[in-house]
Amino acid sequence: MLPLDLRGIKVLTTHLTLEFYLTASTYLSSRAFPSSLLSPSPSLLPSPDTKPVLLPGIDSLNHGRKQPVSWIVSYPDADLKLTKTPKLSLVLHSSFTKGQELLNNYGAKPNSELILAYGFALSHNPEDTIVLKIGGSSKKWEIGRSAHGAEGLWNEILTSIQQTPDSPNYEDHLDAASTMLGMLQTLLDRLPPDRDDRGVDMRPEVAVMLDYYVEGQRDILESLMDYAREKERLAIEDARAQGIEIVLED
């Protein structure tokens, strides 16, 4: 590397602003692959030993959900894997016609990850998730649409509510359901409002991404509220089976 002269240093200090750095960093992070992809045992999962690498051309393909794609890494000489440059092939298994866009598959990712890593979001993304954490706990629960994965969150809330070491009774279930509903309602109230009510000037494409993201978060939270209400209903049935009539206040 050649040493910088005073003129070069002046150019760097003038143009290398924080905004410039963040823009360049975004370009890299949204297009880079882990170096493990080029190893004899290729993997898209990063590790402490991997480094970001750029693969011009391959990184230009857009994402197609459920697009069948194979990544094939080969070496010119199997006995010289460490010294020969590997060859990376991206094989698309769907038929296509002339002029049709070729699509890659970035994997099953929620909109939160797509926005952060790639700068786009999908409408009604089935892979959307929300990560929830109970105050004072180190556990994190990733919940998907239709309350997929909610059982662990429910069990943690129920355990924290439970008054005795015995099996939880209907009162514990009712208290847990009430706690969960209150927590979820608070999160729903904190979601950004609809586009017409935001009062914030943003680029149209950013507004659309936010719409897609908020839709997913709202749908998951509402499905979790349905889940908690069902737990509440079952607790009331359990109480009635014991001859106890439960009247819930609005």
Side-chain angles (χ1 to χ4, degrees):
M1 180 180 294
L2 296 176
L4 289 173
D5 56 19
L6 292 179
R7 181 183 177 185
I9 294 175
K10 184 177 180 180
V11 170
L12 279 178
T13 55
T14 301
H15 297 284
L16 192 57
T17 62
L18 177 60
E19 182 178 0
F20 186 91
Y21 167 79
L22 292 176
T23 300
S25 177
T26 301
Y27 289 158
L28 176 63
S29 63
S30 64
R31 291 166 174 79
F33 297 87
S35 55
S36 54
L37 180 62
L38 302 177
S39 68
S41 300
S43 172
L44 282 170
L45 298 177
S47 71
D49 297 327
T50 61
K51 297 177 176 59
V53 296
L54 295 177
L55 302 173
I58 288 182
D59 65 355
S60 65
L61 299 185
N62 287 324
H63 171 60
R65 181 176 176 270
K66 291 189 175 181
Q67 173 73 27
V69 174
S70 294
W71 295 70
I72 300 176
V73 179
S74 57
Y75 287 79
D77 189 331
D79 296 328
L80 298 173
K81 292 178 179 178
L82 298 180
T83 58
K84 294 292 185 178
T85 301
K87 177 183 178 181
L88 177 64
S89 300
L90 188 62
V91 181
L92 311 183
H93 298 286
S94 296
S95 59
F96 53 89
T97 59
K98 181 179 179 181
Q100 182 180 349
E101 181 182 7
L102 303 181
L103 298 173
N104 190 4
N105 188 336
Y106 300 174
K109 300 180 185 299
N111 275 336
S112 56
E113 185 174 350
L114 291 176
I115 292 172
L116 182 63
Y118 304 104
F120 72 91
L122 300 177
S123 175
H124 297 87
N125 186 352
E127 276 76 50
D128 269 337
T129 61
I130 190 171
V131 178
L132 299 177
K133 180 175 176 291
I134 305 300
S137 172
S138 60
K139 295 180 181 178
K140 294 182 179 180
W141 304 102
E142 187 171 17
I143 315 295
R145 290 182 186 263
S146 301
H148 180 72
E151 198 63 28
L153 174 66
W154 167 258
N155 288 334
E156 184 177 6
I157 295 175
L158 182 60
T159 300
S160 66
I161 293 293
Q162 192 173 334
Q163 299 294 326
T164 67
D166 301 325
S167 297
N169 55 34
Y170 72 88
E171 291 179 318
D172 295 326
H173 281 84
L174 284 173
D175 288 343
S178 177
T179 298
M180 188 171 180
L181 285 168
M183 176 187 72
L184 296 171
Q185 187 60 57
T186 299
L187 293 175
L188 275 169
D189 293 341
R190 291 177 179 174
L191 286 177
D194 293 334
R195 192 186 309 186
D196 295 337
D197 300 325
R198 286 175 193 156
V200 177
D201 186 23
M202 63 178 66
R203 300 196 308 274
E205 60 272 20
V206 174
V208 169
M209 284 194 297
L210 181 57
D211 288 342
Y212 292 166
Y213 170 76
V214 171
E215 180 279 325
Q217 300 300 287
R218 179 174 287 112
D219 180 70
I220 296 170
L221 290 172
E222 289 176 348
S223 71
L224 280 170
M225 293 192 76
D226 291 339
Y227 178 94
R229 291 190 187 101
E230 176 63 12
K231 293 292 187 182
E232 185 179 67
R233 185 189 68 80
L234 293 174
I236 293 174
E237 286 189 359
D238 184 25
R240 288 173 178 168
Q242 301 178 43
I244 302 170
E245 188 66 28
I246 300 294
V247 177
L248 297 178
E249 298 179 356
D250 293 334

